[in-house]
Amino acid sequence: MSILSVYIISDSLGETGEQVAKAAISQFELDDYDIKRFPYVLNLKLLSEILKEASNESNAVLFYTLVDKEFIEYIKDFTAESGLIAVDLLSPLIAAIRESTHLEPAREPGTIRKLDEAYFKRVEAIEFAVKYDDGKDPRGLSKADVVILGISRTSKTPLSMYLANKNIKVANVPLVPESVPPKEIYEVPAKRVIGLTNSPTKLNEIREERLKALGLPKGSSYASMERILDEIDYAEKIMKKIGCPIIDVSNKAIEETAELIISILKRNGIKVFKD
């Protein structure tokens, strides 16, 4: 028996077709086979050349994942005349979903690649948020879509991660009276900076709970009202110097604050919302 030649034709990368082909081949005691993948087949001339090559093989099978009806019909006509064995991997699935949802398919080549790109952009934004969380590296401030400033317990990190999941690159910087803020925060355009604040009472409650969770005694200056008022005053002076908007998060859920930030960025002409 001659070597099995498996042809994979796709209007995108062809990875799906190749994985399906390998899954099918694994069901046979077949060591002698060759998989030839042809990605981004977007014109009939190239398609025709591949089909002719496959039909000249003595033992070939064709798997294809195409959405263009003209291309699919072309393959059907060619295989009917040549006897080449071909399997349409995508059309039955599209037809099943169409029947179930009563929606019409877009039939746009490469859409899975676009979904993959969106996924990787989201991963990149999440990695960015982790890397530049809590002022770890001021060099990231110039690369961020938005920089979030605030004192402790104003939800900087949860907000950063929430926005990162919407493909927005966020860096956040804690403002502490004992520490001089990085000079880079004054170099970022004010329209890319958001300040966060919270009510003294709410901060007192949150910090008391934080101390309890850490097993630390009550009465720490961290949760004292005097300390909190000093921190709020210090942070607001910096935010006003920068000229950035300040959001009071005391009665807002993370999602609500995030939407406010997104709307501010959009209003400032910053196109970052890529979800």
Side-chain angles (χ1 to χ4, degrees):
M1 182 179 177
S2 61
I3 184 171
L4 174 67
S5 294
V6 180
Y7 282 71
I8 311 293
I9 296 178
S10 175
D11 51 29
S12 188
L13 288 173
E15 291 175 330
T16 302
E18 182 172 351
Q19 290 304 313
V20 171
K22 285 180 176 178
I25 291 168
S26 70
Q27 297 300 310
F28 300 86
E29 292 183 3
L30 191 62
D31 298 320
D32 205 9
Y33 66 89
D34 180 30
I35 294 179
K36 301 175 182 179
R37 189 168 78 182
F38 297 88
Y40 303 114
V41 177
L42 301 172
N43 64 74
L44 285 174
K45 183 176 182 296
L46 176 58
L47 178 60
S48 175
E49 290 171 357
I50 298 167
L51 292 175
K52 286 174 184 175
E53 180 185 325
S55 66
N56 288 327
E57 298 268 8
S58 59
N59 195 25
V61 62
L62 174 76
F63 293 90
Y64 59 97
T65 54
L66 300 168
V67 295
D68 190 299
K69 283 185 176 180
E70 184 182 6
F71 285 29
I72 293 169
E73 289 304 316
Y74 188 91
I75 292 175
K76 287 180 179 177
D77 291 342
F78 185 94
T79 53
E81 291 180 11
S82 66
L84 175 66
I85 298 172
V87 181
D88 183 348
L89 297 176
L90 210 51
S91 292
L93 302 178
I94 290 174
I97 294 171
R98 179 176 178 270
E99 184 178 347
S100 177
T101 64
H102 304 292
L103 297 172
E104 288 300 319
R107 295 203 174 274
E108 180 184 344
T111 48
I112 193 166
R113 175 173 52 82
K114 292 175 184 175
L115 289 173
D116 287 343
E117 286 174 0
Y119 168 76
F120 286 117
K121 282 179 181 175
R122 182 172 289 108
V123 170
E124 183 184 356
I126 292 170
E127 289 176 345
F128 187 94
V130 171
K131 184 175 182 180
Y132 299 112
D133 179 48
D134 210 30
K136 288 175 187 170
D137 186 349
R139 293 173 298 179
L141 301 183
S142 63
K143 304 172 190 174
D145 293 320
V146 61
V147 175
I148 293 175
L149 308 177
I151 62 174
S152 176
R153 318 318 292 177
T154 50
S155 304
K156 296 184 300 298
T157 296
L159 264 172
S160 296
M161 297 309 299
Y162 185 91
L163 291 167
N165 273 283
K166 292 185 175 293
N167 301 343
I168 298 173
K169 290 183 178 179
V170 187
N172 74 73
V173 178
L175 298 178
V176 184
E178 291 77 17
S179 300
V180 177
K183 60 179 175 52
E184 287 86 353
I185 68 169
Y186 299 108
E187 296 167 1
V188 179
K191 65 180 183 178
R192 290 184 179 272
V193 181
I194 300 289
L196 302 179
T197 191
N198 207 335
S199 74
T201 305
K202 191 74 175 177
L203 277 170
N204 175 255
E205 292 173 4
I206 295 170
R207 291 187 178 190
E208 288 286 2
E209 286 300 317
R210 179 66 175 162
L211 288 173
K212 190 188 298 183
L214 293 172
L216 297 173
K218 276 189 169 187
S220 165
S221 64
Y222 173 71
S224 74
M225 191 60 74
E226 183 182 359
R227 169 69 185 188
I228 288 169
L229 291 171
D230 284 345
E231 286 189 32
I232 290 174
D233 182 58
Y234 170 77
E236 287 186 353
K237 283 177 182 175
I238 291 174
M239 294 170 193
K240 286 175 182 176
K241 182 178 178 181
I242 292 170
C244 65
I246 302 173
I247 299 174
D248 185 343
V249 302
S250 55
N251 294 307
K252 292 180 179 66
I254 296 293
E255 297 83 355
E256 188 180 355
T257 306
E259 290 306 315
L260 261 176
I261 291 172
I262 290 168
S263 67
I264 290 170
L265 294 176
K266 285 182 177 179
R267 195 162 61 241
N268 288 338
I270 300 170
K271 297 179 181 178
V272 295
F273 191 51
K274 312 177 186 80
D275 193 23

